[in-house]
Coordinates of all heavy atoms in Angstrom, one line a residue:
P134 N -178.2 82.1 -121.4 CA -178.7 82.4 -122.8 C -178.9 81.2 -123.6 O -179.8 81.2 -124.5 CB -177.5 83.3 -123.3 CG -176.9 83.8 -122.1 CD -177.0 82.8 -121.1
W150 N -174.4 73.6 -127.9 CA -174.2 75.0 -128.0 C -173.4 75.5 -126.8 O -172.6 76.4 -126.9 CB -175.6 75.7 -128.1 CG -176.1 75.7 -129.5 CD1 -176.5 74.7 -130.2 CD2 -176.2 76.9 -130.3 NE1 -176.9 75.1 -131.5 CE2 -176.7 76.5 -131.5 CE3 -175.9 78.2 -130.1 CZ2 -177.0 77.4 -132.6 CZ3 -176.1 79.1 -131.1 CH2 -176.7 78.7 -132.4
F151 N -173.7 75.0 -125.6 CA -173.0 75.5 -124.4 C -171.6 75.1 -124.5 O -170.7 76.0 -124.2 CB -173.7 74.9 -123.2 CG -173.0 75.3 -121.9 CD1 -173.1 76.6 -121.4 CD2 -172.3 74.4 -121.1 CE1 -172.5 77.0 -120.2 CE2 -171.7 74.7 -119.9 CZ -171.8 76.0 -119.5
A221 N -152.4 94.6 -111.3 CA -151.9 93.2 -111.2 C -152.6 92.5 -110.1 O -153.1 91.4 -110.2 CB -150.4 93.2 -110.9
N288 N -164.4 70.6 -100.8 CA -162.9 70.4 -100.7 C -162.5 70.0 -99.4 O -161.5 69.3 -99.2 CB -162.2 71.7 -101.1 CG -162.1 72.0 -102.6 OD1 -161.2 71.5 -103.2 ND2 -163.1 72.7 -103.2
A323 N -159.4 57.6 -94.4 CA -160.5 57.4 -93.5 C -160.6 58.5 -92.5 O -161.6 58.6 -91.7 CB -160.4 56.0 -92.9
F336 N -147.8 71.9 -97.7 CA -147.7 73.0 -98.6 C -147.1 74.3 -97.9 O -146.3 75.0 -98.5 CB -149.1 73.3 -99.1 CG -149.2 74.5 -100.0 CD1 -148.4 74.7 -101.1 CD2 -150.1 75.6 -99.7 CE1 -148.5 75.8 -102.0 CE2 -150.2 76.7 -100.5 CZ -149.4 76.8 -101.6
A469 N -140.4 91.2 -113.3 CA -140.4 91.7 -111.9 C -140.9 93.0 -111.7 O -141.1 93.5 -110.5 CB -138.9 91.6 -111.3
P487 N -119.8 90.1 -102.6 CA -119.8 91.2 -103.6 C -120.1 90.6 -105.0 O -119.6 89.6 -105.4 CB -118.4 91.8 -103.5 CG -117.9 91.4 -102.2 CD -118.6 90.1 -101.9
T500 N -121.7 103.1 -127.8 CA -122.2 102.9 -129.2 C -121.4 103.8 -130.1 O -120.9 104.8 -129.7 CB -123.7 103.2 -129.3 OG1 -123.9 104.6 -128.9 CG2 -124.5 102.3 -128.4

Side-chain angles (χ1 to χ4, degrees):
W150 274 72
F151 179 69
N288 280 275
F336 175 56
T500 58

